[in-house]
Amino acid sequence: MTPQLHRNPPFRAEHLGSLLRTDELLKTKTAFEKKEVPEVDLVAVENKDIKEVAEVQKKLGYAAISDGEYRRHMFWGSFFSALDGFEEVRDINADVFRPYAPDVAAFLEAGHKPGESVICTGKVKHTHSTYVDEFKYLASVVPHEEVKSLKITLAAPNWYHLRYKEGKAYPKDVYSTDDEYFADIARAYQAELQILYDAGCRNVQFDDPNLAYFCSEKMLDGWKKDPLNVLTAEETFARYVKLYNDLLSKRPADFHIGVHICRGNFVGSRHFSEGGYDNIATKLFQELNVDTYYLEYDTPRAGSFEPLKQLPKHKNVILGVVTSKFPELEDKEEMKKRVYDAARYIAEGNNITQEEALKQVGVSPQCGFASHREGNAIDHNGMIAKLKLVREIANDIWPGEL
């Protein structure tokens, strides 16, 4: 059977999930962590703010509504720490990390020790979902017919593998090979996805900066110089693609899966790596079995649109041409031109017309507005202006489409 293009979701105008928290929510979270207020008070504020931000998104014309990741401290949530076989470590030895992994390198170069992490200590097993209650509450604040469009963001399955040095991602007396370890990770995600699907979820976005790190010449150079590595960076990237494909192997046909790839989005709008998609384009676009790619494309650090020649006709790309990092508004006509330029490359790669290629395209900010709960260097009004601009770009290029 010829693969079909998955539409609605994704939509012509998208955002990447995380939204700026209110001051009240930030203060209440801090007070809760200091044990100054009970959890019930925190949940009440989260519920109120999620309901309000869902309404904001709807008014702005977005169909793939998220909960803003308001219950999370960081964008990946608590999936790994909730698995049997993983433990959260607050004061981890920095020597276990690859010093050239871009986010690790950024902390080390700034004189900071990487913060808390999650490490594998035993056999990995999924016992309960930490995402499904987030989804269920969001579903409760929208009409039933809109539930299928809601978007929930998930942690990348390689998140706690790439950052660790060879031999440090799991105990050798627990897993003898990456293949054994990845097999249990895949099974854990299969369980999670089934729980979400059974709850009515039909739209998932994996957030995976790690894949973009393979675009960084600085990281690739560090990888080559690391005597511990038994696989090349290219071989490791291929393992990650297989990991995704394994964990998605049982998903139903009507379950839309996307992957968001960026170069870091930390407090104060900090990014961690640079480099175009050229190194990874063929495997990423042709071998990774997802429906949609949400790609950072707001600055030259993401390279050119030429790698999009590798995008097959049955897959979508959401172009993150509007930055979420700073408040200055992009020129709408220039952004529309960039979208058409990208479609031209897709058309060339598939020997189709630009108009046909545009059917595979949407627009978004390049990343979330608050991957870390403290948020980017932009205020609420700036965020709303960016979201309006994305919607206007989509309206002009695809009039009448969500």
Side-chain angles (χ1 to χ4, degrees), residues 258-388:
V259 61
H260 166 50
I261 301 172
C262 78
R263 289 149 186 79
N265 192 47
F266 199 56
V267 178
S269 298
R270 184 176 187 171
H271 72 277
F272 295 129
S273 70
E274 299 182 358
Y277 300 97
D278 309 71
N279 287 338
I280 64 173
T282 300
K283 279 197 175 300
L284 178 69
F285 296 137
Q286 297 186 10
E287 298 183 23
L288 182 61
N289 295 332
V290 298
D291 303 300
T292 300
Y293 301 89
Y294 303 87
L295 299 183
E296 176 182 48
Y297 260 124
D298 62 325
T299 71
R301 70 172 169 267
S304 75
F305 291 129
E306 188 164 2
L308 294 178
K309 288 181 181 179
Q310 302 297 325
L311 186 76
K313 288 190 285 187
H314 66 280
K315 294 188 178 184
N316 306 281
V317 62
I318 306 300
L319 301 168
V321 294
V322 172
T323 192
S324 65
K325 293 184 181 293
F326 305 106
E328 292 77 17
L329 276 179
E330 290 82 355
D331 179 84
K332 184 174 73 168
E333 296 305 316
E334 180 61 28
M335 295 304 101
K336 287 163 57 178
K337 179 179 180 299
R338 296 198 70 209
V339 172
Y340 286 116
D341 286 346
R344 180 166 51 83
Y345 282 104
I346 298 169
E348 184 179 338
N350 286 306
N351 194 28
I352 59 177
T353 67
Q354 186 182 53
E355 289 71 25
E356 289 174 305
L358 279 170
K359 294 177 183 177
Q360 300 173 239
V361 181
V363 290
S364 73
Q366 110 288 346
C367 197
F369 290 90
S371 300
H372 183 287
R373 80 182 189 203
E374 298 300 327
N376 290 354
I378 186 171
D379 64 14
H380 179 79
N381 289 337
M383 177 180 75
I384 296 300
K386 293 283 183 171
L387 293 173
K388 284 182 177 178

Side-chain angles (χ1 to χ4, degrees), residues 73 86 166 205 254 283 299 307 338 378:
H73 174 69
F86 276 96
E166 182 70 33
Q205 171 192 303
D254 64 340
K283 279 197 175 300
T299 71
R338 296 198 70 209
I378 186 171

